[in-house]
Amino acid sequence: MEEKKTTVDISAFNKMTATSDVGKKIININNSYKSNVEKAKNDCSSNVAELKEKCKETPENKAELQVQIKEIKAKTKEQLIALKEDKKTDLSPLMEEKKEAIKSAKVEYNEKRKQLSGYCKEKSLEIKERCKTNSKELNSAHKQKLSEIKSSLSAATTDEDKAKFKFDLDNEKFSYKQKAYELKIRAYEEKQAIKDLKHDLYLDYFKVVQEYNGGCPTVDMKFERRAVDYGYKFNSKDFLLRNGLYIIILLFIIMSCIISPIIGSGNLLTMGNILQILEQSSTRIFFALGVGGLILLAGTDLSIGRHVGMAAVVTCMFLHPGANIIKLFGNTVDFSGLPMGVNALFALLISVLLCSAFSVLAGFFTAKLNMHPFVTTLSTQLIIFGLTCFATGTTSSGTIDPGIKNALAGRIGDFPILIFYAIICIAVVWFIWNKTKFGKNMYAVGGNKEAAAVSGINVFKTTILIFLMAGILYGVGSFLEALRIGTAVATTGTGYELDAIAACVVGGISFSGGIGKVKGAVIGVILFTAITYILTYLGLDANIQFILKGIIIMAAVALDSIKYLKKK
């Protein structure tokens, strides 16, 4: 088969060039202005400092010297104003020239782009036709070759000849696949060359406008550049692979909003429902960001729900007005003698301490003995639940004092206070993950523990700190969840670990370790909470929630595995 080729002539279009040195003139004026201003300020500072020294040396002349200092400062101020005016005067004609130059560049760019579009369209058609022809000829030659080999194989009489023709048959199939792949790659490269032509032309235009602007592109040009770069790099397959699950969930939410009024459930898309979803998501965000750090280590945490139950019971015991229903190890608990604000502080501190202690315990065995977090957190889950049940007798706590509940987790107008706590949590965790040495170490250990150790990172310390951070987040989140619900029992929080893990996975925090962002976990929490709320709002069977969550988790992990395999 004689392969027909199409060549994309990348040098077919000349690059755009700046036709004016207006940008250089603007840069020179700005630099000269900055230099003169700096010199004037330095001279002023030097003269003032000299006069102040004289004031110390000759106190009798202090009044006269202070007058001179004021005169120098006033003179410098006038000088700076004059420099600014001179700059405006010098720049004024250049700004008009710049405006005209940019306008001419825009016209030239549009003309070149129009010509290039026609050229690219013609080349794209040529590539398409050539691909069809080459593919057709390749298939025809392949079928003919297979037919000949199969005929020879049928006519073969000896085992040696049969083995030879079978080998030829396998070789032909492999050769066909290789040639088909080469044709596909060549077509892709030529299509990419066409995209490169268009993008390079825009980059030339952007560079010219940047030069006309004195080396500084305008804000709208920056946004335009980002949009063009995104379109240039956009790949539909990669986009669907990254965002396919989000798209499906959003379509489900949109369809639910359309169906809700039709079936008589009312308008789902109201501010009240949106705030309700965000309020329910607020506490779950703490748990998702906590376990997110462990998933970055290629681990998990099965004890979140039991952390919630333990800390929520503690919170309710402290914040119940009067003697609590729960008897702690058989003893009546009554904290009503202390101010409710003090009780709230104690409840928060003890919740954080307890959750941090058990989380660090799991982290110690994970880091020291290289045990998988699945095992260590399963162990702490059982310990926490058993201890909570033994201490409280599985009795439900009393309700939290309504005053403190409304003060700490009520609403300002219609806006839930819990959302503010969630925003603060997101900001703090984002800063830790992205702007601290610990955050960088966390990603490094999660990506490759051995390489991190070789590069000097203390893997044991980093692992312990990740578990400690998770424990603190669980403690604060559990305290807020108790305030939101208003009462608690040892089984409070059952299943929260699954929702938190699922939210992280849906949000792109990979179980392969070292991959994930805070915003992904937050989006995952909000989407999961929205799905649960919508299903309940529509009056569907609660068991359907489990089915749907299972499908989403499976799909999320499957997509994550595909991305991981594709990267390898």
Side-chain angles (χ1 to χ4, degrees), residues 139-199:
N139 287 332
S140 177
H142 175 60
K143 287 178 181 178
Q144 183 179 352
K145 189 70 174 177
L146 285 179
S147 179
E148 292 174 359
I149 295 172
K150 286 178 180 178
S151 298
S152 301
L153 181 61
S154 299
T157 54
T158 64
D159 291 340
E160 185 179 350
D161 288 340
K162 287 181 180 180
K164 177 182 176 301
F165 290 124
K166 283 182 180 179
F167 175 80
D168 290 343
L169 189 66
D170 292 338
N171 190 51
E172 173 58 26
K173 290 179 180 178
F174 175 78
S175 177
Y176 167 75
K177 288 181 180 178
Q178 190 175 25
K179 289 178 180 177
Y181 178 74
E182 288 173 356
L183 289 177
K184 185 178 178 181
I185 290 298
R186 186 171 291 111
Y188 170 79
E189 289 174 348
E190 290 176 347
K191 288 177 182 177
Q192 187 62 39
I194 290 174
K195 287 181 69 177
D196 290 343
L197 272 176
K198 294 179 178 178
H199 190 248

Side-chain angles (χ1 to χ4, degrees), residues 6-24:
T6 299
T7 304
V8 178
D9 185 6
I10 296 177
S11 62
F13 295 88
N14 296 325
K15 290 187 176 183
M16 294 184 64
T17 54
T19 56
S20 170
D21 60 352
V22 61
K24 294 178 181 178

